[in-house]
Structure formats: C-alpha cells, structure tokens
Amino acid sequence: MSSNRRDIRAKFGDDYVANSRTYTMGINYRFTRYIAKRFNGRRVLETCTGAGFTTIALAREAIHVVTVEIDPVHQEQARQNVEKAGLLDKVTFVAGDVLDNDILNGCPPFDSAFLDPDWAVNSPKHIYRFRYSNTQPPADTLLEIVLGMTSDVAIILPPLLDTRELEGLPRHERQALYLGESQELYCLYFDSLARSHGTTELRQ
Ligand SMILES: C[S@@+](CC[C@H](N)C(=O)[O-])C[C@H]1O[C@@H](n2cnc3c(N)ncnc32)[C@H](O)[C@@H]1O
C-alpha cells in the first residue's frame, strides 16, 4: 500500500503524514465527514487514533475529542495531522492501552464514543470476526467496556463479517459503507447516534 503524497491527499483530503500502516488503516474522508456529523456538539472519546484521520473529522463537529492510542509513532503522526488541520485546541491525546482502566478513567469527561479497532489482516486465511477476534484491541471487549461508560457509541467493523455475530448486541443501526460498488466497512451506531434501527447504506 502506498503512503505517498498524492494517495494521502486522495484518501484523507489534504497533505497529511502517514506511513504504509496508518495509510491503510485510516478511514477515507468520504466516509468520516458523514459519520462525524452524528457527533456534532458532543464530547467524544475516540479509540483508537491511528494517524488521526477520524480524529480530524470528529473534531470538526464535536466540542472536544479525547483520543487514545497505544503506538507512539501513530500518535505523533496524529498530532502533526491534527495541527495541520488547525484543530489542536479541540483534541486531547492520551498515550496508552484503552483496555487499561486507569487510562479510560483518567480521560476528560465524554458523552459519546467512536471506536475503530485495528483489523490488520495477518494471513491470506484471515477471517474477519467480531467475537473472539484477533483484532487489537478485541472489538467485542472494547465495545462492552465503552458501552458501560456511555450508550452513545459508534464502532467500525470490517465488511466481510458474518452479521449473525452481532445478534445479542443492544439495538443499533448497522450502516454498510460503500465506495462505488465495493463495501469497505460497517459502522454500527448505538442509542441516540442511530437514525434508524436496522440496516442502512452510505454510498460514496
Ligand atoms: C484502525 S486504526 C485507527 C485508524 C483511525 N481511526 C484513522 O482513521 O486514521 C487502529 C489503531 O488502534 C491502535 N491500537 C491497537 N490496540 C490498542 C489499544 N489496546 N489501545 C489503544 N490503541 C490501540 C493501533 O495502534 C492503531 O493505530
């Protein structure tokens, strides 16, 4: 995957910094600008930051974003990108493991959360899973912890998921995100972040 200037601008909308990993894992701005609108006027907990592409979209809409990242290289890229976007005063960067109670309990107050765990594919036989997944942090554990702190949560999940795995979760909107004909991601929205309860599509 490329992380050159032209590709970064095409995917994220400006001349940001990224390496091949943060380029690949970052969410296209054609999606994030719409997802972020649901966080308008909110105080948002974001996990995980990556190079800050979702952080920037959220900070444009929210009152404040506190964003947690375990990898110092990713966090430094995010800091540079948020500064380039002119949004440093709206973002608090927290370094550490979001599964560490002290990290989450030490965050400034938030009323909603955006979760984007790392779905790195590590072999051709990789199967995308929600429950007992090998993602970092595990998506089901992360969602359960954060739903215990706020019911207004959105979580990004990969496209090739058996959606029967989502049965048993609190009522939510499941949005399929398409670029052209290709389904890139799912986003689940809980409680007041949902605009309907059922399946919806965002096509870009
Ligand atoms: C999918 S990326 C986030 C991409 C970002 N939302 C964007 O669009 O640019 C996931 C990030 O989670 C971080 N991460 C993995 N495990 C973590 C943990 N336990 N606590 C905090 N961050 C973690 C990874 O280092 C990676 O940067």
Side-chain angles (χ1 to χ4, degrees), residues 23 27 39 74 122 124 132 134 138 170 177 182 188 203:
Y23 172 85
I27 301 178
F39 291 87
H74 298 179
N122 47 21
Y132 313 112
N134 60 357
L177 309 178
S182 163
L188 310 190
R203 289 190 177 269

Side-chain angles (χ1 to χ4, degrees), residues 55-67:
T55 317
I56 289 168
L58 291 167
R60 287 193 171 124
E61 297 287 339
I63 293 173
H64 190 264
V65 180
V66 53
T67 184

Side-chain angles (χ1 to χ4, degrees), residues 25-27 48-50 53-54 69-70 74 96-98 116-117 136-137:
M25 66 173 53
I27 301 178
C48 311
T49 321
F53 301 115
T54 43
E69 171 59 53
I70 203 167
H74 298 179
D97 182 347
V98 69
D116 185 15
Q136 288 304 323

Side-chain angles (χ1 to χ4, degrees), residues 132-152:
Y132 313 112
S133 72
N134 60 357
T135 62
Q136 288 304 323
D140 53 349
T141 307
L142 179 65
L143 181 61
E144 189 182 331
I145 290 171
V146 177
L147 279 174
M149 305 177 86
T150 172
S151 55
D152 291 333

